Each structure stands twice: as structure tokens, then as C-alpha cells.
Amino acid sequence: MYVAVKGGEKAIDNAHKLLAEQRRGDTNVPELDVAQVREQLSLAVDRVMTEGSLYDRDLAALAVKQAQGDLVEAIFLLRAYRTTLPRLAVSSPIETSEMNVERRVSATFKDIPGGQVLGPTFDYTHRLLDFKLLADGEGTEPETAPEQSGPIPRVMNILTDEGLLDESRTDDENPVGDITRDPLLYPAERDVRLQNLARGDEGFLLALGYSSQRGFGDVHPFVGEIRMGEVAVSIVPEELGFEVEIGDITVSECEMVTRFRGSKEELPRFTRGYGLSFGYCERKVMAMSLVDRTLQARDMGEDLTSPANDEEFVLSHSDNVEAQGFVQHLKLPHYVDFQADLVMVRTMREKILAERDKAEKPKTEEAAA
Amino acid sequence: MPEFAYENISPGLQHPVLDSQRIFRAVLLTMSRPGTVTVLGNWPAPPSPLKPAAASVCLALADLDTPLWLESTIHSDIQTYLRFHCGCPLTQKQEDASFAVVMDGNDLPDLKKFEAGTEEYPDRSATVIIQVRELNVGRGVTLTGPGIKDSTKLTVDGLDSGFWHEFKKNSERFPLGYDVILASDTEIASLPRTVRVEV
Amino acid sequence: MGVLARAGSVPLERSYAGLTCKPDYDFLRPPEVGMVMVQGRADGNGKRFNLGEMTMTRCTVKLADGAVGHGYVAGRDKRHAELAAVFDALLQTDIQSRIMNEIIRPLAEAQKQRRSEKAEKTAATRVNFFTMVRGED
């Protein structure tokens, strides 16, 4: 039997208070302030901005603090906040070719115009815990060298110039798909796929990219170029009619290049995948560029053999706010649903057992006779 | 892109958040109770012939995502005003519009050209704001349908008589169809596509 | 406008405090916080796509003499947008060259300086390859 109930309000209020206390932790330890999170946990902030789909370092830092460092929860907080703001403009496309580069590497060519610039990277650290940090170790002052002038040319141009890679086509006439305004429909165009992947969960994309490298998919990728740095953002306000710069944002970009064996009509060449994120999210943009490439299989007439080739599978499950919501809703009261299941399972069992009984009785009677 | 003359632009809503909420509430009321006339007030002061009521509906509802249709002959002051305060793109193609403002109810465009939505997304339709001289409850056309207990009557002064015939055809396409907001100087009444009219 | 947008409210507040006669102004549109959808291009130079949004604050003011100024600044600092709009308006008046020389140029210089410092640190991490003994013989 089912009885409708309500209540728990007091318990919920008290749970909130307990949560606040737990967030604060031991009060003998100084409270973390949002500026500290913003400056010293900047990569957490970057991930929250990228997947929360809102560039605002202070808000993302606040979300990280409020979520006690649970980044998926922080992403959820930021996504919720962004729904409260009006969209005032759409930017002109950012020019990553004009980036003030803070890091730029290529794995395909050693000597590239502009050079290999390592920037702030974990790559050559030994992954040994640094106990100096435990003892309030202040960082060392970085070295300087004369700055390079002018924008750094894209590595992929070397391949496009030789015709080994298709030029990417621009299309500034048709409207750009927007999954925050229109529901995702399949098959999805590349603009929609890239927007979805840019907000997609890093772990999910990392695993999919990895799966394609291990053979679930036919991708043999090389990093054509990775860059990270600041780009200017400009808008053309509807009411002004001319372009104004509103500031700079940091972005990460990855271009992955993959061999394409060609077909009867087409010569062998290279194809590419693209990744772009807010902030410094290198692993994310690398994974994104792998998955962007696996999702182009349909356009290139390749066999769709692996999970990473299946756009509905990938795009429908990439969003961690949706995913955590659906998984976590299972802990909410399902008393009625479960009651129905319970009644059904009991009835089925009773019915089967009764039939078995019936079937066995005549047998035993026969045996007795 | 035309040069804007900002020197003469009149202000928009005084309290953008609170005013928008109030106007939204009023639109909601008239949409859910078709035939109800409600007062929006004598502010803002848009350039003529745009009136305060129609202007405030635009200021509360139109934005970057909602192209707004105006007659091509409309004065550039009005274009500047709406563009500046709403940030909405203006269009002269009826089929592209999310909102439309018809300055004079006696001079209607071909209403059936406005977007009526699709079977999958009937909400992707236009809302047409028509300026009229006066709105009065009682007498006039009989309205029935969802949100109306039995029936109600609405008198609209300054609206082409052909409108009602056109709107009848519009409501026959339900769930497709455009929605209408009738606006006098300071009041509005709404005719969502669910309304049945008897002239 | 880019220089004013990048300046932040602290230096602008300081510059404003330094003005000998403060302008009278009204809001044509009070400071409002909203978002800008940031677009990127596939492959860096191909078809546009929506990357995600960023916060932005805008403001429009009108000076007593009729000059109108706009502020569009990244972030949620309303005072920043307001001051950017005021300075933008002052740039339309007859003290334009003074504002340019005494406020905008020094701000632009400071911003350039900051970029250079960053670029110099970055340049120090540039790899200089040198060829080791080749294993040919």
C-alpha cells in the first residue's frame, strides 16, 4: 500500500547547516578565500569555466569553493548561474592565429616558425611530490628572454600548402548551431558537435579519445599543434554597428592530424580534429580533437565501428551536468515506482510458484497411485 | 548599418528588472485570460507613433534572440530605440520575426506570413503586437476558448475589420499559429491562437 | 574602447579622481551584467561554432553637453563599465586630446608592459635544438 507523505523540511535545513560546517572544515585553519582559489587552483577554475560554459574566473573560483572542490558540482553551479543572465551579444570568432602565445608545441615538425615554446607545463616534471610546498615554499622567479614579435603562424599551414591536408572552409553566411537554444538533433553538424564537445566532460572525452587510439576506431593521430594563450574578444553590438573589444580571454587549442588512407577517387592525405577550450585545459582539448576526428567518420565515408564513431552515443552522453543529474536522481525517493516493481515481482513469483505446484501435484499423485 | 543618433534617444525602462517582471506578469495574465484588458502605464516614452504599451512589451520580451519585424517605412528613431534598448535584430522579412509591431491596426500587413511554428515546435511562432486606438471589455466580438469562462466580449477601436476573419483562420490551424497582443496607448489585451472569435 | 575595457575599475577610478572637473552625466542605459557567446572557428580558421559564454557588463551614458559614451567590458564590474562609458563620452568632447594623452595612452602603455613581461617569461621556455652526434658511422 502507498501513502502520500511530505516532510523532511527540518532535516533538509539541518543538512544544509551541516554541509556549511563541513565546507568550512577545521576553524583553526584560515578560511580559503575566492581569490586564492582563482590564483592558486587556476586549472580547476579553467575546467569549471570550460565545462560550465561561462568564462568568469571569479565565479568559477566561487563555485569551486562552494562545491568544496567537487568540480562536477562546481560546473553545475556555474551552469545554473549562467541561465540567470541575458545574452547581450555574440562575439566575432576569436582569432587563435593572433594569440599572445604562452605555450605552443608541435609533435609533427621539430623546426617550426615561432619555435617550440614550452610555457608553464607539467610535462617535464618528475611527478614527485614536492615537499617544499608543504613547508610554505615560495616559487622561484621565472627566467626571461627577449620576446618574439608578431603572431606565430599555424603549423597546419605547412600541410595545407602542400595539399596534404584540406583547407578548412569558412562559412560566415549560415547561422551557427547553438545547443543552448535548440535541441540537439541527429545527424549533427560539426559546429554543433564542437560546441557539445567543448562543454563535454573531460573524463568522458579522455576515455573515448583513448579508446580510439587503442584500436576502437581507426585513428592514428599526431599533435599538429597545441597552443595556449590570450586572445582578444570583440563584439559588434546591435545598437552600435561597429566592432569593439571587450577584453582578453585565455584559451587552449589543439589540432590533431591523422592519416587518411584515401579511396578509389581520393589520394591518401591527412585529416584533422580540433579542440578548443577556455583557460588552460590541455588534456581536454587533446581529447576533444581526437573525438572531433572520430566523429567525422560519417562525413569521410569511413566505417562506423566504434563507440567513438557513434555521434548519438558520444554527444548524448558527454554532458556531465545532464549525466550526474540522471544518475544522481536515482537516490531521490522512488517509493512509488519501487512499490510497483515490488508488487509486480511478488505477483510474478507467486504465479510461477503456483503453476509449478500445480504441475508437480499430479505427478506426485501419479507416483502415489 | 545606419549611423545612430543617440543624442535624441529616449530612455527605456526605469528599473529594467522590476519593470520587466511587472510587464511580463501583465502579458502572462492577458495571455492566460484572453479578452482581459490590463493597464501597463504611461511609461516609457518611445518615439511616435510607437506607444508606451507596445514599447514596454518589446522592452520586456524582445532581445538578441528574437528578431523583431517593423514595417519598412518606419521612422529610424523607432528602429534606433528598439535596437538600443532591446538589443534585438530588426528584420523586414515577416517569416523571420519572433516579434512584430504593427503601428496602426487599420493598416495591417498580410498576417498569415508570420511564422506559425512547426508541428514539432509550435512554440517557434511569432507574437504580433498591434497598436489600436482603444480596448474595452463588453460588447463587440465574442471570444471563447481556454482561459475564458463561457465567453467574453471585447471591443477594439482602430482595428481593420478584416482582422477578425484572418484571426479565425489562424486559430483553426491550432496547435500552429501566431499570437496577438493588442495594445492601446497604455493598455493591452491578448489573443493567443487558442481563442475562437465570433464577430 | 579596448584599452578602457582592459583597464579594470581600479586604475579607471584613479584616473577619474584625477579629473579636474568631473562631468555631469545621465544613464541612457544603466550598467547591466549579461553574457557574450564566444565563437571560435573549427580548425582555428574554418566554420564558426559556439565555444561558450563569458560575462560582460555594458553601460551607456550621456554627458550634460550631449556627448554619448558606451562601455562594454568583460566581467561583472558595473563601475568599470560605467567609467569606461564616461571616458568614452569624454573622448567625443573638446577635451578629447587631453583624455587621450593623460589617461588612455598611459593605460595602453601599462597594458603593453604587462603583455611584454609575460611574453619575455614565455620566450625563456622556447626550445633551442642542437644536433647531437649523428649515428651514421
Side-chain angles (χ1 to χ4, degrees):
Chain A
M1 218 199 75
Y2 167 68
V3 182
V5 290
K6 59 185 246 179
E9 217 175 305
K10 186 83 191 144
I12 290 170
D13 280 348
N14 291 345
H16 288 163
K17 285 181 189 147
L18 188 58
L19 176 71
E21 190 197 54
Q22 197 207 34
R23 171 165 56 236
R24 179 61 184 85
D26 183 351
T27 49
N28 292 317
V29 176
E31 188 180 351
L32 190 60
D33 94 40
V34 170
Q36 288 174 318
V37 177
R38 187 191 63 216
E39 298 304 315
Q40 298 174 37
L41 296 179
S42 61
L43 299 184
V45 166
D46 287 346
R47 180 172 173 198
V48 170
M49 292 196 304
T50 295
E51 294 174 34
S53 214
L54 184 66
Y55 194 102
D56 188 307
R57 307 202 72 87
D58 291 306
L59 290 178
L62 172 62
V64 171
K65 176 180 172 173
Q66 187 181 332
Q68 300 179 47
D70 179 338
L71 297 191
V72 174
E73 182 70 21
I75 288 160
F76 192 1
L77 290 171
L78 203 60
R79 285 271 187 95
Y81 179 81
R82 69 163 280 287
T83 64
T84 67
L85 294 178
R87 184 185 290 176
L88 302 178
V90 175
S91 84
S92 309
I94 53 172
E95 292 292 345
T96 51
S97 306
E98 309 279 317
M99 184 188 288
N100 284 313
V101 163
E102 286 164 51
R103 170 167 167 77
R104 188 278 194 127
V105 291
S106 170
T108 46
F109 298 102
K110 177 165 68 71
D111 295 308
I112 42 175
Q116 309 268 359
V117 183
L118 302 183
T121 178
F122 289 126
D123 288 353
Y124 307 96
T125 63
H126 294 111
R127 267 69 185 220
L128 299 174
L129 279 176
D130 180 358
F131 289 96
K132 281 207 300 276
L133 293 176
L134 198 60
D136 280 344
E138 273 298 301
T140 48
E141 188 61 25
E143 301 293 326
T144 59
E147 63 177 303
Q148 307 189 64
S149 58
I152 297 178
R154 308 185 82 83
V155 174
M156 298 304 236
N157 291 351
I158 301 171
L159 295 174
T160 45
D161 289 350
E162 209 188 316
L164 295 175
L165 184 69
D166 286 345
E167 294 265 6
S168 48
R169 277 182 294 271
T170 57
D171 169 11
D172 289 354
E173 301 304 312
N174 290 308
V176 182
D178 185 354
I179 57 173
T180 70
R181 291 291 189 270
D182 300 308
L184 194 55
L185 296 175
Y186 303 104
E189 291 293 316
R190 191 159 175 227
D191 52 352
V192 166
R193 297 198 304 248
L194 286 171
Q195 183 183 14
N196 177 290
L197 298 178
R199 323 162 26 110
D201 183 75
E202 178 178 319
F204 179 73
L205 298 184
L206 185 66
L208 278 175
Y210 182 42
S211 74
S212 75
Q213 275 181 282
R214 285 192 67 254
F216 289 85
D218 191 19
V219 181
H220 306 278
F222 301 91
V223 166
E225 183 171 3
I226 286 174
R227 32 172 99 193
M228 183 275 289
E230 280 186 334
V231 292
V233 179
S234 304
I235 59 170
V236 180
E238 188 62 40
E239 64 275 11
L240 283 192
F242 57 85
E243 194 166 76
V244 293
E245 282 190 356
I246 62 166
D248 300 312
I249 60 172
T250 299
V251 297
S252 302
E253 182 185 46
C254 175
E255 289 197 83
M256 202 65 89
V257 53
T258 318
R259 206 175 59 220
F260 180 63
R261 72 170 82 85
S263 61
K264 268 183 196 152
E265 296 82 35
E266 290 178 279
L267 288 172
R269 61 188 153 97
F270 292 102
T271 57
R272 55 182 158 191
Y274 187 67
L276 185 66
S277 79
F278 287 146
Y280 187 16
C281 300
E282 187 160 295
R283 193 169 44 225
K284 160 73 183 258
V285 292
M286 291 182 74
M288 175 175 169
S289 59
L290 287 173
V291 178
D292 173 46
R293 175 58 188 86
T294 60
L295 292 181
Q296 291 173 48
R298 176 173 47 86
D299 307 337
M300 299 196 176
E302 295 170 332
D303 296 334
L304 309 183
T305 52
S306 329
N309 294 137
D310 183 337
E311 75 173 11
E312 189 166 348
F313 178 79
V314 174
L315 301 181
S316 303
H317 301 124
S318 62
D319 192 296
N320 57 27
V321 177
E322 285 172 15
Q324 66 86 29
F326 202 41
V327 169
Q328 294 209 83
H329 100 283
L330 292 175
K331 67 192 168 190
L332 298 175
H334 280 68
Y335 307 140
V336 184
D337 307 47
F338 189 69
Q339 204 61 226
D341 267 14
L342 201 60
V343 169
M344 190 164 72
V345 170
R346 279 184 187 143
T347 319
M348 279 159 50
R349 284 170 65 100
E350 276 162 20
K351 204 171 152 198
I352 292 168
L353 287 175
E355 273 166 14
R356 251 190 228 164
D357 259 11
K358 222 176 178 180
E360 271 168 28
K361 244 181 213 154
K363 270 187 213 153
T364 44
E365 274 163 20
E366 267 168 44
Chain B
M1 194 74 65
E3 268 293 308
F4 292 130
Y6 289 106
E7 288 71 18
N8 305 317
I9 203 165
S10 27
L13 301 174
Q14 280 170 313
H15 306 288
V17 174
L18 295 176
D19 287 342
S20 295
Q21 287 174 345
R22 181 178 58 78
I23 297 160
F24 180 79
R25 194 76 190 80
V27 173
L28 189 65
L29 173 82
T30 59
M31 279 285 178
S32 52
R33 296 265 179 265
T36 309
V37 177
T38 191
V39 180
L40 286 183
N42 201 13
W43 183 265
S48 182
L50 186 60
K51 299 289 173 16
S56 50
V57 171
C58 292
L59 293 183
L61 299 185
D63 64 18
L64 189 69
D65 293 321
T66 57
L68 190 146
W69 178 90
L70 293 171
E71 283 132 301
S72 56
T73 52
I74 213 75
H75 196 275
S76 69
D77 279 358
I78 294 181
Q79 298 186 23
T80 307
Y81 181 84
L82 292 172
R83 243 181 170 141
F84 179 76
H85 289 298
C86 305
C88 58
L90 299 180
T91 177
Q92 283 177 7
K93 282 195 197 147
Q94 282 177 265
E95 55 275 23
D96 289 348
S98 303
F99 289 102
V101 182
V102 179
M103 292 297 156
D104 180 357
N106 279 319
D107 185 11
L108 295 176
D110 185 359
L111 293 173
K112 61 180 174 297
K113 279 196 190 158
F114 285 115
E115 185 55 62
T118 62
E119 293 285 349
E120 285 120 324
Y121 299 101
D123 55 304
R124 292 181 185 174
S125 55
T127 300
V128 186
I129 302 158
I130 303 176
Q131 296 202 121
V132 297
R133 227 177 355 262
E134 221 181 302
L135 295 163
N136 281 301
V137 181
R139 294 184 295 119
V141 290
T142 304
L143 311 177
T144 56
I148 301 169
K149 194 173 185 203
D150 305 326
S151 71
T152 185
K153 281 177 186 280
L154 184 69
T155 313
V156 186
D157 215 19
L159 180 61
D160 189 310
S161 55
F163 169 82
W164 298 108
H165 179 68
E166 196 58 52
F167 190 79
K168 225 174 184 170
K169 283 198 284 186
N170 180 51
S171 53
E172 280 162 11
R173 319 183 265 180
F174 183 83
L176 304 188
Y178 51 82
D179 304 304
V180 172
I181 298 176
L182 298 170
S184 67
D185 287 10
T186 58
E187 296 176 321
I188 58 165
S190 298
L191 299 170
R193 69 196 82 169
T194 49
V195 170
R196 305 273 162 174
V197 295
E198 284 165 48
V199 187
Chain C
M1 278 171 117
V3 172
L4 290 167
R6 286 184 179 89
S9 61
V10 177
L12 288 188
E13 198 76 74
R14 209 180 302 130
S15 305
Y16 188 71
L19 287 180
T20 41
C21 58
K22 306 269 182 296
D24 272 339
Y25 61 89
D26 284 324
F27 289 124
L28 272 185
R29 186 165 56 198
E32 181 189 6
V33 179
M35 298 185 295
V36 171
M37 176 51 95
V38 180
Q39 292 194 334
R41 287 189 182 279
D43 308 317
N45 47 21
K47 236 185 124 187
R48 294 170 300 162
F49 71 97
N50 289 311
L51 172 61
E53 277 146 325
M54 67 187 284
T55 52
M56 180 189 76
T57 308
R58 69 176 179 191
C59 177
T60 302
V61 300
K62 184 175 174 180
L63 303 185
D65 72 356
V68 172
H70 303 277
Y72 296 88
V73 304
R76 289 167 301 116
D77 186 340
K78 290 186 175 177
R79 182 68 178 157
H80 182 189
E82 180 179 341
L83 289 171
V86 172
F87 281 116
D88 182 51
L90 288 172
L91 284 170
Q92 329 288 324
T93 64
D94 49 9
I95 60 164
Q96 176 192 19
S97 62
R98 245 191 62 210
I99 297 288
M100 204 63 194
N101 289 326
E102 290 171 22
I103 294 169
I104 307 294
R105 291 232 166 81
L107 285 173
E109 199 49 49
Q111 289 165 16
K112 204 176 138 209
Q113 182 67 27
R114 188 193 69 93
R115 263 202 301 274
S116 285
E117 280 168 18
K118 223 174 185 176
E120 284 172 5
K121 288 178 195 168
T122 302
T125 66
R126 185 176 162 166
V127 181
N128 292 307
F129 289 104
F130 46 91
T131 310
M132 311 283 282
V133 178
R134 286 176 190 258
E136 274 155 14
D137 38 40

